[in-house]
Amino acid sequence: LDRGVEEGYFKHAASTSNTQMDMSSVCLHLGRADELGDILRQADVIFSYSTVFDTKGFSEEMGAMILSDEWSKMLADNCREGCVVVTTDRALNPQFGWTLKRSIEVDNPKLFGTTGYVSILL
């Protein structure tokens, strides 16, 4: 976050008026998603480092490992329509309303590469 402030991407809340914060604020939360329902219901974008989460296996149709029903359903039940979720190395299950919009290959030397999956709840 500090680097983002230094490079002008973010401003400390104390240096920004309430009007500006309402239009362009970023709030970062760290914790178990299943304990953050109130936050998920307000979120426009969620990032989840999900590389080690349980899967249903590989989907030929999507070309991706699919996150377990428990995770995909919990997010669908708590997120509002139009919420974008970025996951790593596993895609959200479309059975629960998730539409995969894009996959992005990212360098990650510790894992020989990572794929980011950008999904939206419709």
Side-chain angles (χ1 to χ4, degrees), residues 34-95:
D34 60 353
E35 297 173 355
L36 299 173
D38 289 341
I39 292 168
L40 294 176
R41 283 186 275 284
Q42 298 175 45
D44 295 312
V45 179
I46 296 170
F47 174 80
S48 173
Y49 186 81
S50 49
T51 300
V52 298
F53 290 6
D54 290 337
T55 73
K56 290 184 60 118
F58 187 80
S59 165
E60 295 275 339
E61 182 180 326
M62 293 180 68
M65 296 292 285
I66 304 301
L67 280 164
S68 70
D69 287 352
E70 177 184 22
W71 177 247
S72 295
K73 182 177 184 329
M74 183 277 300
L75 280 175
D77 288 347
N78 284 283
C79 294
R80 61 184 171 192
E81 187 175 307
C83 182
V84 174
V85 177
V86 180
T87 55
T88 57
D89 297 317
R90 281 121 170 81
L92 290 164
N93 190 336
Q95 172 184 344

